[in-house]
Amino acid sequence: MIARVNPNPTKAEQTASPDKYPQGYFNLKPCKCCGSEFRPNAPSELYCGDACKDKASTNKYLKRVYGITYRQYRLMHEAQGGLCKICGTEGFVMANHHKMKLVVDHCHATGRVRGLLCHNCNRALGLLKDNVDNLSKAIDYLK
């Protein structure tokens, strides 16, 4: 459902290694996401793997932009059956932009999260300026 969100290098792409530091190794430490112990390759390494790093990155993004946690996103996704709240499709990943098939829709005036939509439905609401009158006129036009 969610592709890699974190723009930082994957574990395999990291250039840091313990032999570049005086003691040559680092003590085990708990992952900031899942709590499991791991041996970092650099002192700044906080997560045991890419999945935890991506989950934490997504969580920070959702909190910063929409005021919800990744857990709340997952609960909404589950409650909606993994489908767009308007058109009922599973959505799609928009390359080079979002990494989630369903994006968080929110009221721009209040900031209140309304649900999860596919990119097309979310974009349509935005283009109609979240205005019920504009939407009604578009419906009348289609009829």
Side-chain angles (χ1 to χ4, degrees), residues 39-59:
R39 190 170 306 279
N41 288 327
S44 60
E45 199 169 0
L46 303 175
Y47 306 104
C48 63
D50 294 331
C52 281
K53 186 166 39 169
D54 291 346
K55 185 176 178 182
S57 177
T58 301
N59 193 54

Side-chain angles (χ1 to χ4, degrees), residues 5-60:
V5 173
N6 196 318
N8 295 325
T10 63
K11 283 269 201 194
E13 298 167 336
Q14 287 178 339
T15 57
S17 65
D19 61 346
K20 293 182 180 179
Y21 295 88
Q23 72 274 26
Y25 69 94
F26 297 106
N27 294 327
L28 292 174
K29 69 185 201 182
C31 173
K32 290 276 190 183
C33 183
C34 71
S36 67
E37 284 197 332
F38 74 104
R39 190 170 306 279
N41 288 327
S44 60
E45 199 169 0
L46 303 175
Y47 306 104
C48 63
D50 294 331
C52 281
K53 186 166 39 169
D54 291 346
K55 185 176 178 182
S57 177
T58 301
N59 193 54
K60 286 178 189 176

Side-chain angles (χ1 to χ4, degrees), residues 81-127:
L83 303 174
C84 173
K85 213 165 188 178
I86 293 177
C87 71
T89 66
E90 68 176 25
F92 57 93
V93 174
M94 209 158 91
N96 301 324
H97 292 7
H98 299 280
K99 302 297 181 192
M100 295 181 257
K101 286 184 174 184
L102 297 179
V103 295
V104 178
D105 175 53
H106 69 290
C107 173
H108 288 222
T110 66
R112 185 181 65 83
V113 171
R114 295 185 283 223
L116 304 179
L117 302 178
C118 71
H119 295 285
N120 288 341
C121 289
N122 190 50
R123 203 171 318 126
L125 290 181
L127 291 170

